[in-house]
Amino acid sequence: MHTYIDKIREIASRLLKEEAVEMVIGYQEGTLPMISPPMSVRSAEDVEKLTWSSHCCINLANYLTDIKGKVAVFAKGCDCRSIVNHIAEGKVKREDVVIIGVPCNGMMERRTISNIFGDEIEEVVEEADGTVIVRGKGREEKYQKSDILRQCCRVCVHKNPVLYDELVADPVAIPEDIQRYKEVEKIEAREIDKRWKFFENLISTCIRCYACRDACPTCYCPTCFVDEAQPQWVGKGDDEPDVMTFHILRAFHTAGRCTDCGACVSACPMGINMRAFTKKLEKDCLDLWDWEAGLTSDMRPALETFTPSDPEDNFK
Amino acid sequence: MLTHLGIEPERLQFSWISSAESTKFIDVVTEVVEAVRKVGPNTRLVKNMVREP
């Protein structure tokens, strides 16, 4: 982790000194443990504020849309795919952004750590060998990082950046035995009424704060459908049909574009796993059209193209 | 996706019908209506406007 931080600061400082970019977007140390908020650095003196940890859950591609001037951004595998997505959709110009790829071994789920530790946490330290030391209330516990990873990081097969100008470290190895769609298959195996109950239950605590939408790099519409008043597409209260409509439509809007970065889940104050919606769409795109978002900017996204050979099993 | 979430597949039907295929249109509409009638009134994603007294 320390080698990552040193390298990140070195690259940021060099780019700013050379005036190759106007701004560097990275992560800073949070005021609370287990949260690394994003930050932008404009002068070489401030690069010491940049950091890297296993809590860099927010997707930095979110800050690139319609940005003016040349910027550098630190990008994990998933962030990188979101940037490729932005390039394909014309929201970012490749020549305007310097992508500094960060090979990623997964980010940790702060809720899992809080739950298993129990007490208030003061400090979380990650060792090079994959153990994580959690301190708080005068005691100390050791965990394996692999046990406290975010769900999306456990099933990630694109840990290394796909498009970059330079890399912070050597690419990491990707385990071969990852079952990417185990969670989706579990839901698929249930009966139809049970599935509805599952999703009803999943969103029952939603407070409609829209943090998931705001954290999502694919959600960049100037006016979101939920904010529109004329016409009002969906009710603004916490009626279950309205909340469900919001989640279904939000998920649909990310179809073929979602990179499963998990920023929505990490941003949610209620800990709702809305990946249950988006992961199914990701699986469908792969099964039906052999499409994975953000791997190339040369091809149009799955829902933007049509070929006569597209499967039509659902058409009568 | 909608059937995955638990919307009955009978309510979600797609068909290609040319404007010249009037008989096919009638057949499809009849089929859809029958299928939906079988599953009964929809309760999902519907607001309960009438409050129980």
Side-chain angles (χ1 to χ4, degrees):
Chain A
M1 217 36 61
H2 285 292
T3 52
Y4 270 44
I5 297 173
D6 293 342
K7 189 83 185 162
I8 279 171
R9 287 175 183 166
E10 180 207 311
I11 293 171
S13 151
R14 170 162 43 84
L15 287 171
L16 287 165
K17 271 184 193 149
E18 286 172 359
E19 294 184 357
V21 294
E22 288 170 30
M23 183 168 82
V24 178
I25 305 175
Y27 297 92
Q28 62 182 323
E29 201 76 56
T31 47
L32 291 168
M34 302 191 288
I35 293 178
S36 288
M39 85 172 300
S40 56
V41 175
R42 284 178 182 275
S43 81
E45 294 118 52
D46 288 338
V47 293
E48 292 303 307
K49 289 180 191 162
L50 286 173
T51 185
W52 191 265
S53 69
S54 286
H55 308 292
C56 299
C57 300
I58 291 302
N59 190 331
L60 294 183
N62 198 16
Y63 301 93
L64 293 177
T65 38
D66 297 324
I67 209 158
K68 301 275 183 296
K70 202 163 176 178
V71 293
V73 63
F74 291 97
K76 312 183 284 280
C78 47
D79 301 9
C80 220
R81 288 170 62 207
S82 296
I83 298 171
V84 171
N85 219 3
H86 278 331
I87 295 168
E89 291 174 0
K91 291 307 278 184
V92 174
K93 286 201 192 92
R94 178 67 186 95
E95 58 271 24
D96 283 351
V97 51
V98 176
I99 305 168
I100 308 150
V102 187
C104 168
N105 266 322
M107 295 291 149
M108 297 190 283
E109 175 61 61
R110 64 175 196 279
R111 285 188 191 87
T112 313
I113 304 176
S114 298
N115 285 346
I116 52 175
F117 189 74
D119 283 325
E120 194 182 330
I121 293 168
E122 283 152 22
E123 195 185 15
V124 175
V125 185
E126 196 186 338
E127 301 287 337
D129 62 351
T131 47
V132 179
I133 303 162
V134 182
R135 294 195 187 97
K137 280 248 171 125
R139 64 191 183 92
E140 188 178 293
E141 299 278 348
K142 270 189 190 169
Y143 304 111
Q144 281 301 313
K145 186 179 169 183
S146 52
D147 296 335
I148 46 178
L149 279 181
R150 297 192 299 168
Q151 287 297 328
C152 58
C153 299
R154 287 177 197 214
V155 293
C156 175
V157 291
H158 298 288
K159 296 172 189 291
N160 295 309
V162 286
L163 177 75
Y164 53 84
D165 296 297
E166 51 186 306
L167 276 181
V168 163
D170 292 331
V172 294
I174 293 161
E176 277 172 14
D177 55 344
I178 295 178
Q179 289 175 287
R180 296 176 71 181
Y181 298 111
K182 216 166 85 186
E183 300 161 68
V184 182
E185 281 154 10
K186 247 197 228 160
I187 304 170
E188 278 172 345
R190 295 181 194 189
E191 284 166 27
I192 195 151
D193 292 337
K194 295 233 170 91
R195 295 208 293 267
W196 182 257
K197 274 268 164 294
F198 169 83
F199 282 100
E200 242 180 3
N201 202 19
L202 184 77
I203 58 150
S204 59
T205 51
C206 177
I207 54 170
R208 297 283 293 272
C209 68
Y210 304 138
C212 47
R213 175 201 65 183
D214 293 340
C216 181
T218 72
C219 286
Y220 53 65
C221 289
T223 310
C224 178
F225 74 97
V226 292
D227 294 329
E228 208 141 38
Q230 270 188 330
Q232 190 178 322
W233 304 108
V234 55
K236 292 173 195 293
D238 60 356
D239 265 4
E240 189 244 290
D242 291 331
V243 182
M244 189 59 105
T245 307
F246 162 62
H247 280 285
I248 294 175
L249 282 179
R250 191 197 76 83
F252 255 122
H253 289 178
T254 71
R257 308 163 65 222
C258 172
T259 58
D260 201 22
C261 68
C264 45
V265 179
S266 294
C268 180
M270 309 305 286
I272 297 171
N273 178 27
M274 54 286 275
R275 285 180 51 253
F277 291 89
T278 48
K279 197 72 182 168
K280 166 68 179 168
L281 291 166
E282 190 195 295
K283 180 172 181 280
D284 281 354
C285 282
L286 190 65
D287 290 350
L288 293 171
W289 303 295
D290 199 19
W291 168 261
E292 276 191 86
L295 295 185
T296 167
S297 54
D298 301 333
M299 272 161 74
R300 302 313 300 163
L303 294 194
E304 226 180 82
T305 48
F306 171 79
T307 58
S309 61
D310 282 348
E312 292 185 355
D313 299 343
N314 290 323
F315 284 77
K316 281 188 191 163
Chain B
M1 168 76 178
L2 281 174
T3 50
H4 176 72
L5 296 177
I7 303 286
E8 297 90 337
E10 291 85 352
R11 298 191 199 282
L12 194 73
Q13 304 199 19
F14 296 94
S15 202
W16 282 117
I17 310 172
S18 147
S19 59
E21 295 175 311
S22 57
T23 47
K24 187 182 174 191
F25 178 75
I26 295 171
D27 292 346
V28 170
V29 170
T30 317
E31 255 174 55
V32 171
V33 170
E34 273 168 18
V36 174
R37 198 162 276 152
K38 251 183 221 160
V39 284
N42 182 28
T43 52
R44 282 156 200 182
L45 288 175
V46 176
K47 283 200 190 188
N48 187 11
M49 295 304 212
V50 188
R51 293 194 186 274
E52 298 290 325

